[in-house]
Amino acid sequence: AQSVTQLDSQVPVFEEAPVELRCNYSSSVSVYLFWYVQYPNQGLQLLLKYLSGSTLVKSINGFEAEFNKSQTSFHLRKPSVHISDTAEYFCAVRRSNDMRFGAGTRLTVKP
Amino acid sequence: SAVISQKPSRDICQRGTSLTIQCQVDSQVTMMFWYRQQPGQSLTLIATANQGSEATYESGFVIDKFPISRPNLTFSTLTVSNMSPEDSSIYLCSVDPTGDRYEQYFGPGTRLTVT
């Protein structure tokens, strides 16, 4: 079965600074990749996904992630973060009917 | 997309009792899932509940402890039975509207504390 590793449990960053949240997965076959965001006291929301095609996928609020097959990574980036981006971010990998989530990265944006 | 509501949003329960969590979806969906998110941890799939069939439980979860009902295509319940403090978690309902697992939507969660 595949596994998902989010390399940073917490990422503190100042407002308007760039940020990268790292995600690596292990799987010997093709997978689908997802980033979910969980704001305080809320459920998970799908941020973006990679199914096929262009390896760079973007969300409506400025986040982007790039699928790198050779490095088995799907890192999430944003060039300039806002206070409102403070949340828990989960990377997820799906192969067939098996969906696995990473441990999560808590992004804290400071003024 | 799908809008999911859960009841209750939170509860504090005594050891040995049971709590039933409800999940309501605003559209008909075939596949529904129940997840557990323990404090400071990621999501763990408890079971998959498809309408018209018995729920399928993941390793480490059993029907006697987490009985699930799926009476129709918009509703499901998860019961946490004979609770202990180790059951303190957020329980999340999730659906796959298209049935292809390309996109899953999550409810707001039920925050359970067992004392």
Side-chain angles (χ1 to χ4, degrees), chain B residues 7-95:
Chain B
K7 290 182 181 180
S9 59
R10 58 179 62 225
D11 206 343
I12 301 174
C13 301
Q14 290 191 339
R15 181 196 300 260
T17 63
S18 298
L19 176 71
T20 296
I21 302 167
Q22 300 178 5
C23 175
Q24 180 75 52
V25 190
D26 69 340
S27 58
Q28 294 184 340
V29 295
T30 301
M31 300 183 74
M32 295 182 76
F33 311 91
W34 286 99
Y35 286 85
R36 181 174 73 182
Q37 185 180 17
Q38 293 180 302
Q41 298 187 29
S42 186
L43 283 73
T44 302
L45 180 64
I46 298 172
T48 301
N50 293 337
Q51 198 271 336
S53 62
E54 294 290 323
T56 303
Y57 289 83
E58 297 299 303
S59 176
F61 297 96
V62 296
I63 187 171
D64 289 345
K65 175 68 175 178
F66 298 100
I68 290 172
S69 77
R70 184 77 202 276
N72 57 51
L73 291 172
T74 64
F75 187 79
S76 178
T77 67
L78 169 75
T79 299
V80 186
S81 303
N82 188 24
M83 289 184 283
S84 67
E86 292 71 35
D87 295 319
S88 296
S89 291
I90 299 173
Y91 291 86
L92 294 150
C93 172
S94 176
V95 303

Side-chain angles (χ1 to χ4, degrees), chain A residues 13-28:
Chain A
V13 64
F14 287 105
E15 192 174 20
E16 297 184 4
V19 71
E20 179 180 76
L21 307 184
R22 296 179 291 171
C23 174
N24 285 92
Y25 68 93
S26 64
S27 176
S28 59

Side-chain angles (χ1 to χ4, degrees), chain A residues 37-106:
Chain A
V37 58
Q38 186 177 33
Y39 298 104
N41 300 314
Q42 296 187 28
L44 272 73
Q45 302 174 29
L46 181 65
L47 187 60
L48 44 75
K49 62 186 176 186
Y50 170 78
L51 303 179
S52 65
S54 173
T55 57
L56 183 65
V57 291
K58 298 183 179 184
S59 72
I60 60 174
N61 58 353
F63 283 94
E64 63 180 35
E66 186 160 19
F67 168 56
N68 188 319
K69 187 175 182 180
S70 62
Q71 297 185 7
T72 60
S73 67
F74 191 55
H75 301 333
L76 181 69
R77 294 187 291 263
K78 189 171 185 178
S80 176
V81 295
H82 302 290
I83 298 287
S84 59
D85 292 324
T86 294
E88 188 90 17
Y89 291 80
F90 293 95
C91 181
V93 175
R94 181 177 86 79
R95 179 178 73 85
S96 185
N97 290 322
D98 189 8
M99 183 100 151
R100 300 294 175 106
F101 287 83
T105 297
R106 182 174 298 278

